[in-house]
Amino acid sequence: MSNLKIPILDLSAEIEAHWDELMEAYQGVLRSGAFVMGPNVMAFEQEAAEYLGVKHAIGVNSGTDALIIGLRAAGIQPGDEVITTPFTFFATAEAISMVGATPVFVDIDERTFNIDTNLIEPAITERTKAILPVHLYGQAVDMDPIMALAKEYNLKVIEDTAQAFGGEYRGQKLGAIGDVGCFSFYPSKNLGAFGDGGLITTNDDEIAETAEMLRNHGSKKTYYNEVLGYNSRLDEIQAAILRVRLPHIDQANAGRRQAAHRYNELLKGVPNIITPYEDPNAKHVYHQYTIRVQNGRRDEVNNSLAEKGIGARIYYPVPVHQLPVYKDSAPTLPVAEQLAGEVLSLPIWPGIDEKVLEQVCDALKLA
């Protein structure tokens, strides 16, 4: 076991399986001479929109920019409040702050790691303009109560779907339920590019038009800039890579789900280990397979795995509301704070070998 080297993620087999297609796509862009906002970007936007079941998909250069531009396109302005989760990557709250709004953190559901929908309504004020749920680790947020609150209080819903491409809630693709969906194509994501990339989805024509302007320096027509925007265009090469990988996303997600279910079997009954909850109304796509290690042993267990060459990771060791940027004004959120000391993500990828899963679980049992 001491000589094993098991990474948290290994994309080599998946890349090798599609090598010829990937090389053809890459070389096609090089030979075309169209490197910015070319035909692959437009084609990918259409193909992604069709897959997700939305009217509009707008490619941008990162998941962070998808959030920033998505918030602005939805009308979020300085002085507004946006209710969100503290248990997420920093970019979720950062994007809210970058548009001049204030993130209002509410605690999370200990089963799903997602925002506790029962706590949202008490946090609504006259300044609240949106709810920003995060489908963390590939697990869908319970969207029905969020959409009901949004309707009652006239709020926008911006879905952070960075970790859940292809996930579903009640048969509907995540990112297609709220007013805006925001995706990341960072290489480690379920649908990953070979560099940065992002996507904004919406069924609202006005939001789509504004997002398209904002990603291109605030202009509909070159040199006729109407608002202050960004240089945030999805790269043509990355779009070509994503077009190769998109048709295989369901198969890849199925592979992750299969691995997760096998982990569940192998870890059943192991003391101090809680395996991931899977909502029966949703399709979890396991961007991460995240367990809880109880009794204060998470770091000890993580170190033990590392000594055995197993690359587990902690997503996330500090809740966003406790980071230096927000800690002076944030409330105490006990569930998020507790889980930040318990979560541990185990190696998972499409096609992960059964023996690898067994080796990881054997090491966990001995930790």
Side-chain angles (χ1 to χ4, degrees):
M1 289 290 293
S2 61
N3 296 320
L4 281 175
K5 298 297 179 184
I6 301 174
I8 186 73
L9 175 68
D10 185 353
L11 296 175
S12 58
E14 196 175 358
I15 291 170
E16 190 63 34
H18 306 298
W19 183 261
D20 291 343
E21 291 177 89
L22 292 167
M23 286 301 99
E24 183 179 355
Y26 176 69
Q27 292 172 8
V29 173
L30 295 186
R31 289 180 173 129
S32 74
F35 303 122
V36 178
M37 296 299 290
N40 280 289
V41 170
M42 290 184 284
F44 174 70
E45 289 174 337
Q46 181 177 348
E47 290 158 6
E50 290 174 357
Y51 174 83
L52 295 167
V54 293
K55 286 179 66 177
H56 305 282
I58 301 102
V60 293
N61 76 356
S62 69
T64 303
D65 272 11
L67 288 164
I68 292 171
I69 293 172
L71 284 160
R72 278 191 62 186
I76 306 307
Q77 300 177 359
D80 292 343
E81 292 179 350
V82 179
I83 296 172
T84 193
T85 172
F87 206 68
T88 179
F89 181 58
F90 179 63
T92 305
E94 180 185 34
I96 295 169
S97 296
M98 290 296 288
V99 303
T102 299
V104 175
F105 301 108
V106 302
D107 217 342
I108 61 174
D109 182 329
E110 67 175 354
R111 299 177 309 162
T112 66
F113 307 111
N114 287 329
I115 192 168
D116 187 336
T117 58
N118 295 313
L119 302 178
I120 294 175
E121 188 169 22
I124 295 173
T125 72
E126 291 181 355
R127 293 173 57 195
T128 305
K129 295 297 186 291
I131 305 169
L132 203 169
V134 179
H135 304 294
L136 196 71
Y137 304 144
Q139 169 84 279
V141 175
D142 187 7
M143 291 299 294
D144 280 353
I146 290 178
M147 298 309 295
L149 285 172
K151 183 177 181 181
E152 181 178 352
Y153 290 94
N154 192 29
L155 306 176
K156 297 294 186 184
V157 176
I158 294 93
E159 297 177 71
D160 184 337
T161 325
Q163 300 186 8
F165 194 100
E168 296 180 7
Y169 175 79
R170 298 190 186 276
Q172 193 170 6
K173 288 287 192 294
L174 302 180
I177 301 168
D179 298 280
V180 178
C182 302
F183 295 86
S184 168
F185 300 128
Y186 189 77
S188 64
K189 296 298 191 286
N190 292 43
L191 179 62
F194 293 164
D196 267 320
L199 191 74
I200 298 165
T201 55
T202 185
N203 289 309
D204 186 302
D205 295 342
E206 185 176 342
I207 289 175
E209 182 179 50
T210 303
E212 289 173 353
M213 288 177 59
L214 289 172
R215 73 169 172 184
N216 193 28
H217 297 287
S219 65
K220 297 177 187 175
K221 181 180 178 182
T222 304
Y223 304 128
Y224 291 84
N225 307 76
E226 300 178 35
V227 297
L228 295 176
Y230 310 89
N231 179 10
S232 182
R233 298 166 296 215
L234 179 62
D235 182 80
E236 181 74 3
I237 289 176
Q238 302 306 335
I241 297 298
L242 290 165
R243 291 188 68 200
V244 172
R245 303 195 74 188
L246 178 60
H248 306 285
I249 186 62
D250 286 344
Q251 180 182 359
N253 283 340
R256 288 175 177 268
R257 287 173 55 80
Q258 182 179 357
H261 295 160
R262 183 57 179 146
Y263 264 138
N264 290 346
E265 294 172 355
L266 293 168
L267 293 174
K268 187 175 182 180
V270 177
N272 302 319
I273 298 293
I274 298 178
T275 55
Y277 170 78
E278 192 165 317
D279 186 340
N281 295 314
K283 180 180 284 186
H284 197 324
V285 292
Y286 291 98
H287 171 63
Q288 301 294 342
Y289 181 86
T290 303
I291 62 172
R292 292 171 58 189
V293 183
Q294 296 186 302
N295 289 350
R297 297 196 63 241
R298 193 273 309 280
D299 292 345
E300 179 186 346
V301 169
N302 189 31
N303 290 335
S304 176
L305 293 178
E307 289 171 1
K308 296 177 174 67
I310 296 172
R313 294 286 294 274
I314 299 169
Y315 303 106
Y316 298 95
V318 183
V320 176
H321 72 289
Q322 291 188 321
L323 292 171
V325 179
Y326 299 114
K327 67 178 183 179
D328 291 339
S329 59
T332 298
L333 302 172
V335 179
E337 291 161 21
Q338 176 187 342
L339 295 188
E342 295 182 351
V343 292
L344 187 64
S345 296
L346 304 181
I348 192 167
W349 58 84
I352 187 171
D353 192 88
E354 168 83 11
K355 291 182 180 179
V356 172
L357 300 176
E358 292 174 355
Q359 288 166 351
V360 172
C361 293
D362 288 344
L364 262 178
K365 294 171 185 177
L366 294 172

